[in-house]
Amino acid sequence: MTGNTEVVVIGGGYAGVLAANRLTQRDDVAVTLINPRPAFVDRIRLHQLVGGSHDAVVGYKDVLAEGIRLVVDTVTRIDAAGRGVMLASGGTVGYDYLIYAVGSGSADPSVPGAAEFGYPIATLEEAQRLRAVLDTAPAAAAVTVVGAGPTGIETAAELAEAGRTVTLVCGGVLGPYLHPRGRRSVARQLARLGVTVLDGPGATVTAVTRDTVRLGNGRELPSTVTIWAAGFGVPGLAARSGLSTDALGRLRTDETLTSVDDMRIVAAGDSVAPSDLPFRMSCQAAVQLGPHAADTVLSRIAGRHPATLALALVAQCISLGRRAGIFQLAHRNDVAMRPYIDGRPGAIIKEFICRGILWQVAYQARKPGSLNWPGWAKDAKRRQLLQAEHGETLATR
């Protein structure tokens, strides 16, 4: 593809690929996608990679629109003044507009021994490493999963269903996002699978050794393999490049996803903090933020004012092995409500959504611009929060 406007997308996950594909609506836009891996990671399947039921990888040829230039490299710095990005290989790629979609990874653990002896699971390489460790561990080896969000729950269930002896250490409540009714359903299914769930104030990890996990109540758990699933962090690229970030390192933007520092930089996915009110790090948010970031760039190219966010998070899906799951419904402001679907129907819905997301990403490669979220998919309470906390100053630029 040749064009007059060069757009660089950093990050080839859900948000980055959807943004890159959507940009190809215009023939005068040349799109370069920079990603450290040569293949697309279907990240919501990583717990299945660990359990051995999926490889969680798809070729970019299946999900990228024809004409997008793929650069397999790592961006080490963004030169906003010079409109260029520096690569680990030593090269530089210039841009007219930049979409920052670097995603997230495992948070750096502050617990003594966790970084040395725990196995994180937030990236493809981490999941592959953990899979190799489990393959060499005895079948009866004690496995401890630390963290009771969706990643921890799904990993614990997957391994228990495969016959592993699993303890899930919650560090608080099981499934903090879930409605209490949904939480009880998840607890019942984990019990059926044989997972030992440790929750409550005493279930906080204070230290990890090669073969134990120490809790806040003084208890020590034997643990041959300790899996660390306690939260996400974001790459430090934005802060390292002198751009404004929030306390976690997410790029600060307005409600059009435009950087507060530079109108040529737009962000999407887990690494963005619009109006200092970031969305939950999730595939559900990424598949909405990616297209919106592309629309912001396309609007600026066309000389139009970009639209503000119209995004809602209305559910959370969690698989509980291959035969059960939960589909927890939520209000549009991402607060769980009473209704949920569990058991086998929950598993079917989760699998349908997982397949549907990948299908949608691939379809956008063939039909860019066809993904448009309905008008009702907007959290009305977000505007109220923006007005209460910021007035109108951060809403748009």
Side-chain angles (χ1 to χ4, degrees):
M1 176 187 288
T2 59
N4 300 320
T5 304
E6 299 281 345
V7 182
V8 169
V9 180
I10 308 176
Y14 301 109
V17 168
L18 283 169
N21 286 340
R22 198 171 183 89
L23 289 166
T24 63
Q25 293 176 85
R26 289 185 62 121
D27 292 334
D28 59 349
V29 173
V31 184
T32 298
L33 178 70
I34 304 175
N35 193 66
R37 304 177 191 88
F40 176 81
V41 178
D42 197 5
R43 188 174 177 183
I44 54 178
R45 301 266 195 194
L46 286 180
H47 64 285
Q48 289 184 250
L49 189 159
V50 171
S53 63
H54 206 284
D55 61 10
V57 173
V58 179
Y60 272 118
K61 62 180 177 58
D62 296 323
V63 296
L64 271 186
E66 184 178 349
I68 294 176
R69 176 190 174 208
L70 175 64
V71 175
V72 182
D73 211 326
T74 299
V75 176
T76 58
R77 184 174 173 273
I78 300 168
D79 177 11
R83 293 185 194 168
V85 297
M86 281 92 256
L87 304 178
S89 63
T92 301
V93 179
Y95 66 83
D96 294 305
Y97 290 93
L98 176 71
I99 293 183
Y100 185 83
V102 298
S104 62
S106 299
D108 291 332
S110 58
V111 174
E116 183 179 1
F117 300 112
Y119 292 91
I121 190 180
T123 68
L124 175 65
E125 293 76 14
E126 290 170 347
Q128 289 173 332
R129 174 176 174 240
L130 175 57
R131 176 71 254 166
V133 169
L134 287 166
D135 283 344
T136 60
V143 176
T144 303
V145 178
V146 180
T151 301
I153 291 171
E154 291 187 325
T155 303
E158 204 79 25
L159 294 177
E161 189 175 72
R164 291 286 181 178
T165 302
V166 182
T167 298
L168 178 62
V169 181
C170 298
V173 299
L174 173 68
Y177 177 91
L178 299 170
H179 187 276
R181 295 177 72 246
R183 186 174 301 126
R184 289 192 291 270
S185 173
V186 169
R188 287 192 296 269
Q189 178 58 25
L190 289 174
R192 292 189 192 103
L193 290 170
V195 177
T196 300
V197 176
L198 302 179
D199 58 2
T204 300
V205 176
T206 58
V208 179
T209 70
R210 189 179 304 277
D211 53 12
T212 64
V213 171
R214 187 174 305 137
L215 303 183
N217 58 11
R219 182 179 176 183
E220 285 197 359
L221 307 175
S223 184
T224 304
V225 180
T226 300
I227 301 172
W228 199 263
F232 296 102
V234 299
L237 177 60
R240 191 165 63 244
S241 302
L243 298 170
S244 297
T245 63
D246 69 0
L248 197 62
R250 292 171 289 210
L251 185 69
R252 296 181 63 239
T253 73
D254 64 13
E255 287 294 284
T256 71
L257 300 181
T258 302
S259 165
V260 298
D261 303 307
D262 191 325
M263 294 182 71
R264 297 276 179 161
I265 299 177
V266 179
D270 290 351
S271 55
V272 61
S275 305
D276 293 321
L277 289 172
F279 298 94
R280 171 167 52 90
M281 292 186 184
S282 62
C283 174
Q284 185 179 177
V287 298
Q288 298 179 72
L289 292 168
H292 193 99
D295 285 346
T296 291
V297 171
L298 291 172
S299 292
R300 295 204 187 280
I301 293 172
R304 301 190 302 268
H305 189 76
T308 57
L309 283 170
L311 184 152
L313 303 181
V314 296
Q316 185 176 83
C317 293
I318 301 175
S319 63
L320 296 162
R322 297 296 86 215
R323 294 182 290 274
I326 184 167
F327 181 70
Q328 172 69 72
L329 292 168
H331 300 283
R332 279 178 283 182
N333 64 341
D334 202 26
V335 174
M337 59 176 70
R338 287 175 59 87
Y340 64 89
I341 301 171
D342 64 357
R344 181 62 179 164
I348 292 172
I349 293 173
K350 172 67 187 292
E351 180 61 22
F352 175 81
I353 290 173
C354 288
R355 293 187 184 189
I357 288 170
L358 191 58
W359 179 88
Q360 188 63 259
V361 172
Y363 186 74
Q364 293 306 301
R366 302 189 302 272
K367 300 287 185 180
S370 59
L371 175 61
N372 293 293
W373 298 98
W376 58 262
K378 186 171 185 178
D379 173 18
K381 293 186 177 180
R382 182 174 179 84
R383 172 59 60 185
Q384 299 172 11
L385 288 171
L386 286 171
Q387 292 174 336
E389 296 192 23
H390 305 298
E392 297 294 331
T393 57
L394 285 179
T396 62
R397 294 181 65 203

